[in-house]
Amino acid sequence: MPRSNRPRRNASGPRPGSGGGKWAEPVPELDLERARAGIARRESAPDGDWMVRTMTAKKAEKQYICPGCSTAILPGIAHLVVWSDNHLFGQAAGLAERRHWHTNCWNTRTYRYR
C-alpha cells in the first residue's frame, strides 16, 4: 500500500496546545483611503515632471499657503503635495522644495514658459 503524505489530524479541530493557528486571529480591515494616499504618482506636463501625492483630510494637520491662489490650506482640508521629479540638484532637493496645493489649483494651473 502506498504511503499517504497528508497529515493525520483530528477532524474535530486544531491540535491541542497549538493556539488555533494563524487563521484564528481576526484580520484587520484595510484602510483604502490610507493606502491610496501614501503613494506618489508621476505627472508629466510642459513645465516638467512632477511627483504628486494626495494628502487626505485626516492627515492634513498643518496650515499651508497654496502657490496657485496664495490662500491658506487649513488643517482638515484634503490637498496635494507636489515636488519636482527632475530637479537640477537631484531628487532630494526636489523633495525638500515640495509645495502643498489645493487640488483644483493644481489641476487648473497655467504652465509658465520662460
Side-chain angles (χ1 to χ4, degrees), residues 2 4 11 18-19 28 36 40 45-46 51 55-56 61 71-72 78 98 103 106:
S4 173
S18 66
R36 275 188 238 132
M51 297 299 290
M55 182 68 67
T56 61
E61 298 174 348
T71 60
R98 65 187 177 270
T103 306
W106 176 254

Side-chain angles (χ1 to χ4, degrees), residues 79-91:
H79 60 279
L80 300 174
V81 181
V82 181
W83 65 93
S84 176
D85 190 39
N86 54 358
H87 196 276
L88 179 64
F89 298 112
Q91 290 180 348

Side-chain angles (χ1 to χ4, degrees), residues 1-65:
M1 176 176 229
R3 188 178 101 194
S4 173
N5 287 330
R6 285 201 254 167
R8 299 175 196 267
R9 291 192 183 152
N10 191 357
S12 64
R15 287 179 275 163
S18 66
K22 65 180 180 181
W23 303 111
E25 300 173 9
V27 178
E29 279 192 46
L30 178 64
D31 186 4
L32 291 177
E33 184 179 345
R34 182 174 175 232
R36 275 188 238 132
I39 300 172
R41 64 184 184 275
R42 182 186 316 266
E43 289 187 13
S44 294
D47 59 344
D49 293 331
W50 301 94
M51 297 299 290
V52 180
R53 184 177 50 196
T54 304
M55 182 68 67
T56 61
K58 274 186 193 176
K59 295 186 84 175
E61 298 174 348
K62 293 168 61 177
Q63 181 174 336
Y64 300 98
I65 300 296

